[in-house]
Amino acid sequence: MRLLILGGTWFLGRHLAERALAAGWAVTTFNRGTSAADTPGVSAVHGDRESPDDLHRLADHGPWDAVIDTIGYVPNQVQAAATALAPVVGHYVYLSTVNVYTGWPDQPLDEDSPVFDCPPDAGSDFGADLGYAGQYGALKAGCEQAVTAAVGTDKTTILRPGVILGRYEYVGRLTWWLARAARGGQLLAPAPAARPIQPIDVRDVADFALRCARHGTSGTFNITAPPGHATFADLVTGCITATGSDAEPVWADPDWLTAQGVEQWTGLPLWRTHAGVWAVDSSRAQAAGLRCAPLAATIDDTWAWLTDGGSWIVGEGEAARAADHGLPQDRERELLTEWQRSSDAR
C-alpha cells in the first residue's frame, strides 16, 4: 500500500505516518519541513501547498493508492492540491471537523445536519463575519466541497472529528489537565461530574482513516466516541490516577463558574455547557469499523509520553494556542476560596 500524507509531522499526521509504516506501507509525506521533524521511515517531500509548482512536483512522486489530507484549511488551496493529485491517487481521505455544522455546539448532530455554505474556491478571508469558530467551520465545509468536486464522491472519504486527544497533542487540553492533576491539592472542576463527554483517542482516528484509505471507503463520517463512553469525572479522576497525585476535585456549579468569568472550553479545557457539544452521532463510523479506546487508556498513554520528555509545544503558533488553555494557579486558588465561601454561606 502506497500512502501520501499531506502533513505527517504533527499529532494526527504523525500517528498516521507511524501506524502506516508499522503496517508495512510505503509512506510519503508532504509539508514545508519547517515546523517539526519528519517521521523516521517516510519519504519526505518538502514544499508549500500554496505553490502550484510544488504541487506538480509532488504529483510527479506518485502514484499512490490513497492520500490523507490532515492540514487543508483554505478551500482554494485544498482545491488546487486535490486537482493536482487526482490523476495519481486512488482514494482521497480529507480530515474535516464537526465545526462544519451550523448547529454545533448548540444542537445534537448527525451527518445529515446542515453545514455551512462555502464555495470550493473560497479564499482564507471567507466567513470573516462569522467569528473564529464559524469561519473555521465554513472554510472546512468549503474544503470538503473542493475535494469531492476534484476527485469525485465515490473516491472521497470525509472525516469530521470532534475533540481528538492523545500523545503528541499540541492544543493543550488533556496535557493541561494532566499537569494540573500532577500538581495535587484541591482541583477546581466543573460540575456535574457525570456530564457525558465524547473525546476520541488520536490512535483510533488514525486507524479509522487508514482503514478507509485501505478499503476505499467513501462517504462522510462523524468521528467521536459514542454517547456514554466517558464523563467529565472520568477525565479528571483518570488524570489524577495516571499521575499518582493527591489531587482532590472540587466540583463547582457551572453557572457560578460562568459568572466568575471562567471561559468555557479554554479556562477549564473541554468544559462546555452547550447542549450539542457532546451529542454528536458517530454510529455510522462505528458501523464502518471505528473503534474507541477507553478514555483512561488515552490519558495513560499521554502521561507516559509527557513523562518521557514529550511536549505539546511544537512551534510559536502552537505554543500560543496551548497557553490559552487552563487557569493560572493564582486564579484557580482565588476561585476555590470563593466557591468555598459561597458554599459555606448557603
Short mmCIF file of all heavy atoms in Angstrom, two decimals, residues 10 14 35-36 168-173 175 305-306 309-325:
data_model
loop_
_atom_site.label_atom_id
_atom_site.label_comp_id
_atom_site.label_asym_id
_atom_site.label_seq_id
_atom_site.Cartn_x
_atom_site.Cartn_y
_atom_site.Cartn_z
N TRP A 10 2.84 16.43 12.74
CA TRP A 10 2.22 16.82 13.99
C TRP A 10 1.08 15.89 14.35
O TRP A 10 0.36 15.40 13.48
CB TRP A 10 1.63 18.23 13.91
CG TRP A 10 2.61 19.33 13.73
CD1 TRP A 10 3.98 19.26 13.73
CD2 TRP A 10 2.29 20.71 13.52
NE1 TRP A 10 4.52 20.48 13.53
CE2 TRP A 10 3.51 21.41 13.40
CE3 TRP A 10 1.10 21.42 13.43
CZ2 TRP A 10 3.56 22.79 13.19
CZ3 TRP A 10 1.15 22.79 13.22
CH2 TRP A 10 2.36 23.46 13.11
N ARG A 14 1.34 12.62 12.44
CA ARG A 14 2.46 11.79 12.89
C ARG A 14 1.99 10.38 13.24
O ARG A 14 2.65 9.39 12.92
CB ARG A 14 3.14 12.46 14.08
CG ARG A 14 4.38 11.72 14.57
CD ARG A 14 5.12 12.57 15.56
NE ARG A 14 6.17 11.81 16.26
CZ ARG A 14 6.91 12.31 17.24
NH1 ARG A 14 6.74 13.56 17.63
NH2 ARG A 14 7.84 11.57 17.82
N SER A 35 8.44 23.06 10.57
CA SER A 35 7.84 23.13 11.90
C SER A 35 8.17 21.95 12.80
O SER A 35 8.19 22.08 14.01
CB SER A 35 6.30 23.23 11.77
OG SER A 35 5.95 24.39 11.05
N ALA A 36 8.40 20.79 12.23
CA ALA A 36 8.69 19.60 13.02
C ALA A 36 9.46 18.61 12.16
O ALA A 36 9.43 18.68 10.93
CB ALA A 36 7.40 18.96 13.54
N TYR A 168 1.30 13.44 21.54
CA TYR A 168 1.70 14.47 20.58
C TYR A 168 0.71 15.63 20.51
O TYR A 168 0.84 16.51 19.65
CB TYR A 168 1.90 13.93 19.16
CG TYR A 168 2.75 12.69 19.02
CD1 TYR A 168 2.44 11.73 18.07
CD2 TYR A 168 3.86 12.48 19.84
CE1 TYR A 168 3.22 10.59 17.93
CE2 TYR A 168 4.63 11.34 19.71
CZ TYR A 168 4.31 10.39 18.75
OH TYR A 168 5.07 9.25 18.61
N GLU A 169 -0.28 15.68 21.41
CA GLU A 169 -1.23 16.79 21.38
C GLU A 169 -0.50 18.12 21.58
O GLU A 169 0.38 18.23 22.43
CB GLU A 169 -2.28 16.63 22.47
CG GLU A 169 -3.31 17.76 22.46
CD GLU A 169 -4.10 17.89 23.77
OE1 GLU A 169 -4.09 16.93 24.57
OE2 GLU A 169 -4.70 18.95 23.97
N TYR A 170 -0.89 19.14 20.81
CA TYR A 170 -0.28 20.45 20.95
C TYR A 170 -1.28 21.54 21.33
O TYR A 170 -0.90 22.68 21.57
CB TYR A 170 0.45 20.86 19.67
CG TYR A 170 -0.42 20.89 18.43
CD1 TYR A 170 -1.20 22.00 18.12
CD2 TYR A 170 -0.46 19.80 17.56
CE1 TYR A 170 -1.99 22.03 17.00
CE2 TYR A 170 -1.24 19.83 16.43
CZ TYR A 170 -2.00 20.94 16.15
OH TYR A 170 -2.79 20.95 15.02
N VAL A 171 -2.58 21.21 21.39
CA VAL A 171 -3.57 22.22 21.72
C VAL A 171 -3.51 22.58 23.20
O VAL A 171 -3.74 23.72 23.60
CB VAL A 171 -4.99 21.75 21.33
CG1 VAL A 171 -6.04 22.77 21.75
CG2 VAL A 171 -5.05 21.52 19.83
N GLY A 172 -3.22 21.59 24.05
CA GLY A 172 -3.08 21.87 25.47
C GLY A 172 -4.30 21.52 26.30
O GLY A 172 -4.47 22.06 27.40
N ARG A 173 -5.14 20.62 25.84
CA ARG A 173 -6.36 20.27 26.58
C ARG A 173 -6.07 19.18 27.61
O ARG A 173 -6.00 19.47 28.81
CB ARG A 173 -7.44 19.82 25.59
CG ARG A 173 -7.95 20.97 24.72
CD ARG A 173 -8.79 20.49 23.56
NE ARG A 173 -9.38 21.59 22.83
CZ ARG A 173 -9.72 21.53 21.54
NH1 ARG A 173 -9.53 20.41 20.85
NH2 ARG A 173 -10.25 22.57 20.95
N THR A 175 -3.29 17.70 28.07
CA THR A 175 -1.99 17.95 28.68
C THR A 175 -2.11 18.91 29.86
O THR A 175 -1.40 18.76 30.86
CB THR A 175 -1.02 18.50 27.64
OG1 THR A 175 -1.64 19.56 26.91
CG2 THR A 175 -0.58 17.42 26.67
N TRP A 305 3.90 9.66 27.62
CA TRP A 305 4.64 10.48 26.65
C TRP A 305 5.23 11.73 27.31
O TRP A 305 6.41 12.05 27.13
CB TRP A 305 3.73 10.84 25.48
CG TRP A 305 4.21 11.95 24.61
CD1 TRP A 305 5.36 11.98 23.87
CD2 TRP A 305 3.56 13.21 24.39
NE1 TRP A 305 5.45 13.17 23.18
CE2 TRP A 305 4.36 13.93 23.48
CE3 TRP A 305 2.37 13.77 24.85
CZ2 TRP A 305 4.01 15.22 23.05
CZ3 TRP A 305 2.02 15.03 24.40
CH2 TRP A 305 2.84 15.74 23.52
N LEU A 306 4.40 12.42 28.09
CA LEU A 306 4.87 13.64 28.74
C LEU A 306 6.01 13.36 29.71
O LEU A 306 6.99 14.11 29.78
CB LEU A 306 3.71 14.32 29.46
CG LEU A 306 2.63 14.97 28.58
CD1 LEU A 306 1.48 15.48 29.43
CD2 LEU A 306 3.22 16.10 27.75
N GLY A 309 9.52 12.98 28.35
CA GLY A 309 10.12 14.13 27.71
C GLY A 309 9.31 14.72 26.58
O GLY A 309 9.77 15.65 25.90
N GLY A 310 8.09 14.24 26.38
CA GLY A 310 7.24 14.79 25.32
C GLY A 310 6.78 16.19 25.65
O GLY A 310 6.72 16.60 26.80
N SER A 311 6.46 16.93 24.62
CA SER A 311 5.94 18.29 24.80
C SER A 311 4.95 18.57 23.69
O SER A 311 5.16 18.18 22.55
CB SER A 311 7.05 19.33 24.75
OG SER A 311 6.52 20.64 24.74
N TRP A 312 3.86 19.27 24.04
CA TRP A 312 2.88 19.62 23.02
C TRP A 312 3.24 20.92 22.33
O TRP A 312 2.57 21.38 21.44
CB TRP A 312 1.48 19.73 23.63
CG TRP A 312 1.29 20.86 24.61
CD1 TRP A 312 0.85 22.13 24.35
CD2 TRP A 312 1.54 20.83 26.01
NE1 TRP A 312 0.81 22.88 25.48
CE2 TRP A 312 1.21 22.10 26.53
CE3 TRP A 312 1.99 19.85 26.88
CZ2 TRP A 312 1.34 22.41 27.89
CZ3 TRP A 312 2.11 20.16 28.22
CH2 TRP A 312 1.80 21.42 28.72
N ILE A 313 4.31 21.57 22.78
CA ILE A 313 4.73 22.83 22.16
C ILE A 313 5.58 22.50 20.94
O ILE A 313 6.71 22.02 21.05
CB ILE A 313 5.53 23.70 23.14
CG1 ILE A 313 4.72 23.92 24.42
CG2 ILE A 313 5.90 25.00 22.49
CD1 ILE A 313 3.38 24.58 24.21
N VAL A 314 5.04 22.75 19.76
CA VAL A 314 5.73 22.42 18.52
C VAL A 314 6.35 23.66 17.90
O VAL A 314 7.48 23.66 17.46
CB VAL A 314 4.76 21.75 17.51
CG1 VAL A 314 5.49 21.42 16.23
CG2 VAL A 314 4.14 20.51 18.13
N GLY A 315 5.64 24.74 17.87
CA GLY A 315 6.13 25.97 17.28
C GLY A 315 5.44 27.16 17.92
O GLY A 315 4.61 27.00 18.80
N GLU A 316 5.74 28.34 17.48
CA GLU A 316 5.22 29.54 18.12
C GLU A 316 3.70 29.57 18.11
O GLU A 316 3.07 29.91 19.10
CB GLU A 316 5.78 30.79 17.44
CG GLU A 316 7.28 30.98 17.67
CD GLU A 316 7.77 32.26 17.05
OE1 GLU A 316 6.93 32.99 16.46
OE2 GLU A 316 8.97 32.54 17.13
N GLY A 317 3.09 29.23 16.98
CA GLY A 317 1.64 29.26 16.90
C GLY A 317 1.00 28.29 17.86
O GLY A 317 0.02 28.59 18.53
N GLU A 318 1.57 27.09 17.95
CA GLU A 318 1.02 26.07 18.83
C GLU A 318 1.26 26.43 20.29
O GLU A 318 0.45 26.16 21.15
CB GLU A 318 1.63 24.71 18.50
CG GLU A 318 1.14 24.14 17.18
CD GLU A 318 1.57 24.99 16.00
OE1 GLU A 318 2.76 25.31 15.90
OE2 GLU A 318 0.70 25.35 15.19
N ALA A 319 2.42 27.04 20.59
CA ALA A 319 2.71 27.46 21.96
C ALA A 319 1.68 28.47 22.41
O ALA A 319 1.18 28.42 23.55
CB ALA A 319 4.11 28.05 22.04
N ALA A 320 1.32 29.39 21.52
CA ALA A 320 0.32 30.40 21.87
C ALA A 320 -1.03 29.76 22.11
O ALA A 320 -1.77 30.14 23.02
CB ALA A 320 0.24 31.45 20.77
N ARG A 321 -1.37 28.76 21.30
CA ARG A 321 -2.67 28.11 21.46
C ARG A 321 -2.73 27.35 22.77
O ARG A 321 -3.73 27.39 23.49
CB ARG A 321 -2.91 27.16 20.29
CG ARG A 321 -4.32 26.63 20.21
CD ARG A 321 -4.53 25.83 18.94
NE ARG A 321 -5.91 25.36 18.86
CZ ARG A 321 -6.35 24.53 17.93
NH1 ARG A 321 -5.52 24.10 17.00
NH2 ARG A 321 -7.61 24.13 17.93
N ALA A 322 -1.67 26.64 23.13
CA ALA A 322 -1.64 25.90 24.38
C ALA A 322 -1.72 26.85 25.57
O ALA A 322 -2.33 26.54 26.59
CB ALA A 322 -0.38 25.05 24.45
N ALA A 323 -1.11 28.03 25.43
CA ALA A 323 -1.11 29.00 26.53
C ALA A 323 -2.50 29.52 26.82
O ALA A 323 -2.75 30.06 27.91
CB ALA A 323 -0.16 30.14 26.20
N ASP A 324 -3.41 29.39 25.87
CA ASP A 324 -4.79 29.86 26.06
C ASP A 324 -5.62 28.89 26.89
O ASP A 324 -6.76 29.20 27.25
CB ASP A 324 -5.49 30.05 24.71
CG ASP A 324 -4.94 31.25 23.95
OD1 ASP A 324 -4.36 32.15 24.59
OD2 ASP A 324 -5.08 31.27 22.71
N HIS A 325 -5.10 27.72 27.20
CA HIS A 325 -5.87 26.68 27.87
C HIS A 325 -5.45 26.53 29.32
O HIS A 325 -4.27 26.42 29.63
CB HIS A 325 -5.72 25.34 27.13
CG HIS A 325 -6.44 25.29 25.83
ND1 HIS A 325 -5.98 25.93 24.70
CD2 HIS A 325 -7.61 24.71 25.47
CE1 HIS A 325 -6.83 25.74 23.71
NE2 HIS A 325 -7.82 25.00 24.15
#
